[in-house]
Amino acid sequence: MSRQSKAENFQSDHVLSYFKMEWAVLLAVTVSGLIYNLGLLAGPWFEGKMAGCLVNILGGKGVFFDMLTLVIAYVVTIAVVQISRYIKRLYVRRFANNVNRRMKQVLYHSLVHKSRSELEEGAGNVMTKAILDVDDCAEGMRKFTTEVFDTGVALLAYAGMLFFYDWRLALLSMLFPPISYVMAEKMKGIVQRTGAAYKEQSGALSAATLDRASNAITYRVYGREKDRRDAYEKELTAYEKAAVRANIWGASFPPIYQVISMAGVLFIFYFGSKNVLGVGWKAWDVAAFTTFLSCFTKLSVKSSHAAKLFNAVHKAQVSWKRIKPLMKAEEHEDDSRIQQPGTLQVSHVSFSYPNGTKIYEDFCLEAKPGDIIGVTGAVACGKSTLGKTFLCEYPYQGSIHFGGKELWEMTDGERTGTIGYLGHAPELFDDSVNNVLLGDKGDARKYLKAVCFDKEVAEMEKGENTIVGNSGVRLSGGQAQRLALARTLCHKRPVLILDDPFSALDRKTEE
């Protein structure tokens, strides 16, 4: 299957699709995993043979060369097994990394096209989904892929070997591992509940951390650092408790699973000793008994790992349920389709936030290319909300037509190519005057000059290469506004919305 056809068939909200996309990597995992896990059977076989050989040497029936041959063969076999194990783990990690990257790409693409109304859950929770939940999903898929071979194939191989030596004793000794599986499955409910609570608290802690970092100066100026520290400590304590509750089940039960799985060793000592004495179901020598016991011990360890895997998968399911609504891949126009100048008609537009009262109503205007329209009014009368209405982050009532098309019905590319917007709280990136060009090629100086900011930039420590800091923290309010205005002028749109762009400027600069 070609790369293009795979991409076309890829369903980002289906876990199975991520496995299908990595079929080549998983093929390498399968081949090396089979060699490794089938090769593990050689360990108990060689151990039994060497034990029998040692008994023969002590009894005068064998020579040192026999033991040396077995040891060399054992070392070579183990080397091949361990190399296969290394290759398998390498490709399993590559699989997990590829899945992690692909999930984050899908999630990022989804988040940047969501409106504010769709992201009202808060920045902290969004960060937790975008980072921790995706990491947990990829880790759960990695563990599942690993354990399919390290546990599933190995269990079948060990079970087959036990049945080969004595099927009756094999059935008796393997009565207990399924009990550990049932116990692990019964833990599904509590693992998922505590996992969901932990994720929610992780989001709350992320939000509290962002709040402390973003508003640190305000808290310090008004003497509220202690209050916020206490509030943060409260969130941190709640997070720690949720983390303990979520992890305690996964940490405390694996030893119990292993004890239950190992209970069958009692049957092996009793009935296996009878086989060695020649009065049991099979006639065994010491080598056969040692091989059977070693094989069962390894099977029991693998069984406890399988039970532990159930808990890991349950945790991953919690994360997947949280991010799945955001993992639906949708087609979006990434590039703005700059529209030609046209007539703007706003007819009887009203606006209210969801479940809120109307901010303004029955607003009308008509503007032609070159018109400048000023909107004035009292504080908090809805001027800024009117400007944001043109961004279509929330639905409006009435009609906004540009060039004969309803704004709300335009594609994303058409809308971003129509409306230019500058709010009174401009968003600046932690970059230089690249804030103006946004990565495009061109000369930013003419736009800086247009907003009377070119001389001040020239006097800065590194000139145009000076980093302004996140949100323009290293600039004054007026400088930040002018830099944002230069960016707006650089990326021209036929409809330009300016929300009080000179509020922080002195009178002379404003003129």
Side-chain angles (χ1 to χ4, degrees):
M1 184 180 293
S2 68
R3 183 180 297 273
Q4 183 177 356
S5 60
K6 284 196 301 177
E8 291 175 352
N9 296 327
F10 177 64
Q11 294 177 288
S12 56
D13 59 341
H14 288 69
V15 173
L16 186 59
S17 285
Y18 292 92
F19 284 95
K20 290 180 178 178
M21 287 293 287
E22 299 298 326
W23 69 269
V25 175
L26 291 176
L27 178 62
V29 173
T30 301
V31 174
S32 56
L34 288 173
I35 295 175
Y36 165 58
N37 285 280
L38 293 177
L40 289 176
L41 295 176
W45 186 84
F46 273 109
E47 290 169 9
K49 286 294 183 180
M50 286 188 289
C53 183
L54 180 61
V55 171
N56 290 336
I57 291 175
L58 294 175
K61 298 179 181 179
V63 295
F64 173 76
F65 183 77
D66 297 334
M67 178 64 78
L68 180 63
T69 303
L70 282 173
V71 169
I72 293 175
Y74 176 71
V75 170
V76 171
T77 302
I78 294 302
V80 172
V81 169
Q82 292 304 318
I83 291 173
S84 300
R85 181 188 186 191
Y86 168 79
I87 295 173
K88 180 186 71 68
R89 289 197 169 190
L90 173 66
Y91 280 95
V92 165
R93 176 51 63 186
R94 177 175 294 181
F95 162 75
N97 291 343
N98 291 347
V99 169
N100 192 302
R101 184 182 67 252
R102 184 168 284 111
M103 281 187 172
K104 286 180 177 176
Q105 286 175 338
V106 172
L107 190 62
Y108 170 81
H109 190 64
S110 176
L111 287 174
V112 297
H113 288 99
K114 295 293 181 183
S115 65
R116 291 182 186 270
S117 60
E118 295 174 297
L119 295 176
E120 287 182 338
E121 56 187 325
N125 208 15
V126 170
M127 285 181 59
T128 300
K129 287 183 178 182
I131 300 175
L132 295 181
D133 282 326
V134 173
D135 288 345
D136 286 348
C137 285
E139 182 64 11
M141 294 170 70
R142 183 194 69 80
K143 287 182 178 179
F144 175 80
T145 305
T146 300
E147 296 303 331
V148 163
F149 295 99
D150 285 3
T151 299
V153 175
L155 279 176
L156 292 175
Y158 288 137
M161 200 166 186
L162 292 178
F163 277 98
F164 173 77
Y165 276 89
D166 188 336
W167 66 269
R168 299 179 184 84
L169 184 52
L171 284 175
L172 277 176
S173 59
M174 290 194 297
L175 287 175
F176 296 96
I179 297 176
S180 64
Y181 304 157
V182 174
M183 282 186 62
E185 180 59 26
K186 293 296 182 183
M187 296 297 296
K188 178 178 181 178
I190 191 169
V191 168
Q192 291 192 343
R193 284 196 304 274
T194 55
Y198 165 68
K199 293 295 182 182
E200 291 176 5
Q201 194 57 48
S202 178
L205 181 63
S206 296
T209 304
L210 283 172
D211 175 70
R212 288 202 70 186
S214 302
N215 304 306
I217 294 178
T218 302
Y219 293 139
R220 183 164 64 249
V221 169
Y222 290 98
R224 290 294 181 267
E225 285 186 299
K226 183 179 184 301
D227 294 341
R228 296 313 304 165
R229 183 170 59 251
D230 293 342
Y232 185 78
E233 288 294 333
K234 184 178 179 181
E235 293 287 356
L236 185 58
T237 300
Y239 168 80
E240 290 173 344
K241 289 180 179 179
V244 170
R245 284 192 293 268
N247 293 323
I248 191 170
W249 304 108
S252 60
F253 273 79
I256 298 177
Y257 298 150
Q258 188 163 352
V259 169
I260 294 173
S261 298
M262 284 292 294
V265 76
L266 299 175
F267 293 117
I268 296 176
F269 281 123
Y270 180 75
F271 292 101
S273 61
K274 285 191 171 185
N275 287 348
V276 174
L277 294 174
V279 293
W281 293 312
K282 290 281 186 175
W284 281 359
D285 55 13
V286 173
F289 177 83
T290 303
T291 300
F292 192 94
L293 180 60
S294 176
C295 197
F296 176 77
T297 301
K298 289 179 169 58
L299 180 142
S300 300
V301 172
K302 293 295 183 183
S303 295
S304 65
H305 289 175
K308 184 179 179 181
L309 174 64
F310 290 161
N311 291 342
V313 171
H314 296 333
K315 288 182 179 180
Q317 286 176 336
V318 172
S319 294
W320 178 249
K321 287 179 181 178
R322 282 167 50 86
I323 65 174
K324 187 176 181 180
L326 297 171
M327 298 301 290
K328 184 68 175 178
E330 299 178 1
E331 291 297 324
H332 296 282
E333 294 179 279
D334 291 330
D335 295 325
S336 299
R337 295 171 57 184
I338 308 301
Q339 303 299 299
Q340 295 299 317
T343 300
L344 175 70
Q345 293 177 317
V346 181
S347 305
H348 306 289
V349 171
S350 302
F351 182 87
S352 60
Y353 289 103
N355 303 320
T357 58
K358 275 190 170 58
I359 306 298
Y360 65 86
E361 57 183 335
D362 201 30
F363 182 84
C364 302
L365 67 80
E366 181 174 337
K368 297 180 179 179
D371 287 351
I372 299 177
I373 298 176
V375 178
T376 63
V379 175
C381 69
K383 300 187 298 297
S384 294
T385 301
L386 172 62
K388 291 180 180 178
T389 302
F390 288 85
L391 301 179
C392 294
E393 292 183 330
Y394 294 91
Y396 54 81
Q397 296 83 46
S399 175
I400 301 178
H401 268 77
F402 178 80
K405 293 190 69 173
E406 180 65 35
L407 194 63
W408 186 262
E409 295 175 353
M410 290 182 178
T411 65
D412 292 339
E414 289 174 334
R415 192 182 304 116
T416 56
T418 300
I419 305 297
Y421 175 81
L422 175 60
H424 57 73
E427 297 177 357
L428 296 176
F429 308 111
D430 189 15
D431 203 340
S432 62
V433 291
N434 285 324
N435 271 280
V436 174
L437 298 175
L438 293 178
D440 291 348
K441 293 182 179 180
D443 186 4
R445 286 173 291 185
K446 63 179 179 179
Y447 301 106
L448 296 174
K449 185 176 182 179
V451 297
C452 304
F453 193 36
D454 55 324
K455 293 181 180 179
E456 292 171 68
V457 169
E459 294 173 356
M460 290 181 179
E461 179 183 359
K462 295 183 180 179
E464 294 182 9
N465 296 318
T466 302
I467 303 299
V468 302
N470 192 33
S471 298
V473 67
R474 299 184 63 185
L475 302 177
S476 68
Q479 289 175 329
Q481 279 193 331
R482 281 178 285 162
L483 184 60
L485 181 57
R487 178 176 63 193
T488 306
L489 297 177
C490 178
H491 302 274
K492 295 180 177 63
R493 300 293 186 270
V495 179
L496 182 59
I497 309 295
L498 301 179
D499 184 3
D500 201 2
F502 309 130
S503 60
L505 302 184
D506 60 80
R507 185 65 178 269
K508 182 179 179 180
T509 305
E510 182 177 351
E511 290 176 353

